[in-house]
Amino acid sequence: MISTSIWSWWSEITTNKHDLTLALLIFPIITFFILWYKSTRNPTSLLPPGPRGLPVVGYLPFLGPNLHHKFTKLAQIHGPIFKLKLGSKTHIVVSSSDLAEVVAREHDIFANRDPPASALEMSQGGQSIVWANNNSLWRNMRKVFVYEVLSTKNLEASHTFLQAELRKTVTRV
């Protein structure tokens, strides 16, 4: 009598464990697919097309070490401008040099962006050529940069250094 009650108790526990395990496995899977479906279904978005990613990590698991090869393949599928979700951030990739010039010069999407806290600290409140707002201060800094750093004299002076670094890079590859 006691041995039968122990075995019935044991079979009841193992059955409940399987039900609980099954429920604990199925619930996250269903939640995952619901989140994935909701994240890929946004018909009112003005963003360009792009590959679908996973809900939390986005397209990160599908990227390889050679990003330029992956971006070329994605550009062949989705066009020269496509959307890529990396983690919780959405990025727009422009894979054509002609379109990149149009975006950078004519649409000026990089002007007046909010710098991160680390950039504000390193550049005395965002007052560097990289993080300054597009205003007269930035234009003056750019003129000085082009005149001083990109002058023919400075480029010729650094030619041997750049050539040596290029050789080091090529030998590593």
Side-chain angles (χ1 to χ4, degrees):
M1 175 94 175
I2 294 177
S3 66
T4 13
S5 66
I6 290 174
W7 286 114
S8 65
W9 172 79
W10 177 251
S11 68
E12 184 177 324
I13 285 186
T14 56
T15 305
N16 288 341
K17 279 186 179 179
H18 290 304
D19 291 344
L20 180 63
T21 305
L22 187 63
L24 288 175
L25 287 176
I26 289 177
F27 180 72
I29 292 171
I30 291 172
T31 305
F32 173 80
F33 281 112
I34 289 172
L35 289 172
W36 180 70
Y37 179 75
K38 288 177 98 178
S39 69
T40 58
R41 219 178 139 228
N42 191 2
T44 60
S45 176
L46 298 175
L47 297 174
R52 292 182 176 178
L54 301 175
V56 176
V57 293
Y59 201 72
L60 279 173
F62 306 113
L63 295 177
N66 297 325
L67 290 177
H68 56 288
H69 292 301
K70 188 65 174 181
F71 287 167
T72 302
K73 289 178 186 174
L74 290 172
Q76 291 170 352
I77 296 169
H78 300 288
I81 300 177
F82 58 91
K83 167 184 71 175
L84 196 62
K85 193 157 175 98
L86 302 175
S88 62
K89 302 282 186 177
T90 301
H91 300 274
I92 305 299
V93 178
V94 180
S95 63
S96 164
S97 60
D98 296 333
L99 284 174
E101 184 178 354
V102 169
V103 168
R105 287 184 186 245
E106 294 176 14
H107 296 289
D108 204 13
I109 62 168
F110 298 109
N112 302 328
R113 62 192 184 278
D114 293 331
S118 59
L120 287 173
E121 187 66 33
M122 291 184 336
S123 64
Q124 288 82 32
Q127 298 303 314
S128 70
I129 195 167
V130 176
W131 296 108
N133 286 333
N134 191 0
N135 55 21
S136 62
L137 172 69
W138 180 82
R139 283 189 288 280
N140 288 335
M141 284 191 296
R142 184 175 180 267
K143 285 178 189 175
V144 169
F145 176 79
V146 169
Y147 181 74
E148 293 294 329
V149 177
L150 299 178
S151 68
T152 307
K153 182 179 95 175
N154 284 337
L155 290 176
E156 286 175 359
S158 63
H159 178 70
T160 56
F161 172 73
L162 293 173
Q163 202 171 25
E165 289 298 315
L166 182 63
R167 283 189 184 132
K168 285 181 192 176
T169 305
V170 169
T171 57
R172 287 180 195 155
V173 174

